[in-house]
Every structure is written in structure tokens, then in C-alpha cells.
Amino acid sequence: MTKILVTRRTFPEAAVALRASGAEVVIWEDADAPSQADLVKAIADVDGLYAHITNQVNAEVMDAAPNLKVIAEFGVGYDNIEIAAANERGIAVCNTPGILSESTADEAFALLASMARRTHDLPAMVKRGEWGDFDPLGYLATDIHHKTLGIVGMGNIGAEMAKRAAGFNMNVLYFNRNKRDEEFGATYVDSLEEILERSDYISLHNPLTPETTNMMSTDQFKLMKKSAILINTTRGPVVDQDALYEALKSGEIAGAALDVTVPEPIPADHPLLTLDNCLIMPHVASATGDTRMKMAMMSVENVLAAVAGDWPPYCVNQTEIAGNARIKS
Ligand code: DGY
């Protein structure tokens, strides 16, 4: 019997759809994700893995699952999957592109607006009873309109961010591996250095790769304006957090809002959490009920197609495994 393992709890609709296929479906219902050892144990006779960012799906995990045909990641980023190992073994890797772009950009823009207009720190001051007399020079914020937003990584999410910024009369610059033809109302700049120097807000939307690990570190913060604010909704390791702490503390940059950190969850005693100019959210950019439901159903579609022997609709390594795909053997 075909077996599918889901590594975190999911929507009832997704569970019903998986079970309707006739497969045996095991859903990891614990409050915490499986440990790597638990995953290795649980995956032994599994054909389809419905995976989440909470687990590293590496060669060891894959080797524990000789029948594994597909890894369907719940999310657009799949840096937690060792793609070279999946390619070697002919395992299809899938993700959930497109459907979460708008929700993610909504959150990235909300973080930008929050840092700019200080909704991240002033309400706490009001709650502490520290709202003094009206002060023409007090509680000053930063404008959003007519400021420059630098988008690093112009994929679907970056493009949605550009659209939101246009609605706020921002000037939008973008830096991307390739210049894109589409019209985003954004101007291409051909170096990270230039976009860092010119922007009032920098929003990161590039994937995590070996090249982008610690892409934002001491030298990059030095290039940014002292008034600039960094928004990170991609992956924590893209930002060197020790360098960020120093930059925020010394005033090298004005603020940062992070949806993603290293590690996740960030420990409550982490130095970044002591700073008023740093806002940290618990990796929730795609976390609206509607979007998470769409992601779940897309993951279901991917895993069910593959265990039935078809190419999953959102396969990221179809070309690489065309000659040795397990779903075709
Ligand atoms: C994504 O889709 O990549 C989200 O960050 C969840 O992992």
C-alpha cells in the first residue's frame, strides 16, 4: 500500500484529500516537528513525503526511504531539501510557487510600514503610560511615500512588493541575478552595492543559496544609509545576525524587521531581541488562513500526482531527474 508521511499537522481538507487517494497517511500531530532521528525512523516505508521547513531532508533521510518518490515541500523555499541528493536518487522535489507571493509581500510591506511609522515600538510606550504632552519634536517617524525601496531578488514575491510600493508613491529599485523584462514600475540596478547605497528601505526576496548565505554583513551594512531599514522575509541565514546586531546598536543602520532568523525559533535571550529598532516575527509571511490552505492543497496535489506515477505539477527538478525518476520506474 502506498504510504504518505506528513511531517506537521495539516488542514482537515488536506488530510481528507490525501486519504481519499486510498494511501495510508501518517500525519505527525505532535506540537513539535519530528527530530531528525524520528524522521529517519518514520520514513522507512514511505512513498511520498509532505515536508516542512522544520526538517532537513538530507541524504541520510532519503537513504532511509528506499521507496521515496517525491518530497513535496509546503512552501516556495526548499533550501531544507538536499536537492543534489534528491537528483542523484531520482526523487522528485516540489514546492508551492506563486500562491503565497501576495501574502508574503503583504507582510513584508507591513513590516516596512511598521518600522517606518513606529507601530513596532510606540504602542508599548503608550501601554507603559509614557505618552507625555504633545511634542512637535517627539516620536518622529520616517516617511514611506517618495522614499526609495530597494528590492533584492525580483521573483514573484519581489514583484508583488514592487506593486505595493508603487501604490505608496515610492521609488523602486531592484537588483536581481537577471534583468527582468516585465514592467514592475521598478528600475534595475546592476549591483548589490549600488542598491544598498541608494535605498531608504531594503527588502530581501532572494532565495537562500551558498552564494547568498551572509549576503548582508558588516560591509553591506556600512554601505547602507544610516537612516535605512532592512526587511528580511526570505531566509534567516541571508543576514549575518551578529553583524546586524552591531549595525543596529551602533546606528550604522536605523532598523530591521525580520520574519526569519537563525535559529528558528530565535531564543528569547538573543541580543537582537533587546533592541528597540529590531522587530522580529515568527516566520509567518505566508501565514494567512487562505494562503496556508492553498499551500496545503498544492502540496497534496504534488504528492498525490507523484505517488500515482505522474509528474507533479510543481516539480523543481524534473529536468535533472528525467532519466532516473523513481516515479517512472
Ligand atoms: C516559504 O514558502 O518558503 C515559507 O517561508 C515557508 O517555508
Side-chain angles (χ1 to χ4, degrees):
M1 189 180 187
T2 299
K3 185 167 176 182
I4 295 170
L5 173 65
V6 184
T7 61
R8 304 290 286 142
R9 64 187 179 143
T10 186
F11 291 90
E13 291 84 342
V16 167
L18 288 171
R19 293 201 166 106
S21 72
E24 178 189 353
V25 180
V26 176
I27 300 178
W28 193 269
E29 297 280 4
D30 293 6
D32 294 328
S35 66
Q36 286 302 108
D38 285 337
L39 180 58
V40 165
K41 222 183 287 164
I43 205 168
D45 49 355
V46 162
D47 300 275
L49 179 67
Y50 174 151
H52 298 80
I53 192 171
T54 38
N55 281 103
Q56 296 301 312
V57 187
N58 54 22
E60 186 199 0
V61 173
M62 294 178 206
D63 284 341
N67 300 333
L68 190 65
K69 297 170 183 61
V70 60
I71 303 164
E73 176 78 12
F74 175 85
V76 67
Y78 51 90
D79 45 277
N80 58 314
I81 300 172
E82 201 179 320
I83 192 88
N87 291 347
E88 247 172 63
R89 291 158 182 76
I91 301 170
V93 174
C94 316
N95 67 347
T96 63
I99 43 164
L100 49 76
S101 305
E102 289 175 271
S103 295
T104 302
D106 283 348
E107 199 233 24
F109 203 86
L111 293 179
L112 183 157
S114 188
M115 293 304 295
R117 297 312 313 258
R118 301 192 52 186
T119 59
H120 71 293
D121 67 336
L122 294 183
M125 185 213 65
V126 174
K127 280 191 179 165
R128 289 194 302 267
E130 293 168 8
W131 179 2
D133 270 352
F134 175 80
D135 175 2
L137 300 185
Y139 316 136
L140 296 182
T142 309
D143 278 326
I144 299 173
H145 64 89
H146 299 102
K147 296 288 183 185
T148 297
L149 168 65
I151 296 176
V152 179
M154 187 55 97
N156 293 333
I157 301 171
E160 289 298 333
M161 187 68 174
K163 285 189 212 163
R164 281 151 184 74
F168 276 74
N169 289 331
M170 298 186 84
N171 308 311
V172 185
L173 306 176
Y174 78 97
F175 171 65
N176 198 43
R177 266 171 315 180
N178 314 304
K179 185 168 189 240
R180 293 192 51 173
D181 294 335
E182 290 95 325
E183 197 40 72
F184 302 110
T187 304
Y188 176 73
V189 296
D190 66 6
S191 73
L192 180 63
E193 288 72 21
E194 183 180 347
I195 204 165
L196 295 177
E197 282 168 357
R198 290 176 59 187
S199 300
D200 299 299
Y201 302 91
I202 288 286
S203 191
L204 305 177
H205 299 285
N206 53 303
L208 174 65
T209 64
E211 294 73 44
T212 63
T213 301
N214 287 336
M215 180 186 84
M216 294 297 296
S217 192
T218 308
D219 290 348
Q220 289 69 36
F221 296 132
K222 284 207 169 90
L223 290 174
M224 289 170 69
K225 298 181 185 180
K226 293 214 182 311
S227 56
I229 287 168
L230 175 73
I231 317 296
N232 186 15
T233 54
T234 176
R235 286 290 183 264
V238 172
V239 174
D240 174 347
Q241 282 179 187
D242 293 339
L244 177 64
Y245 174 78
E246 291 307 326
L248 290 170
K249 186 133 180 94
S250 66
E252 194 69 72
I253 67 170
L258 313 175
D259 184 62
V260 285
T261 58
V262 183
E264 291 182 6
I266 194 165
D269 61 354
H270 194 284
L272 279 174
L273 293 170
T274 65
L275 300 176
D276 284 342
N277 56 350
C278 186
L279 166 59
I280 299 188
M281 292 285 279
H283 198 148
V284 286
S286 66
T288 65
D290 290 345
T291 293
R292 284 283 167 90
M293 170 69 94
K294 288 184 201 153
M295 291 164 67
M297 297 317 284
M298 207 180 234
S299 304
V300 167
E301 221 185 315
N302 278 327
V303 80
L304 287 185
V307 297
D310 297 323
W311 283 110
Y314 306 99
C315 183
V316 301
N317 63 343
Q318 184 164 344
T319 314
E320 290 79 357
I321 65 168
N324 66 336
R326 286 187 187 171
I327 55 175
K328 295 294 173 195
S329 60

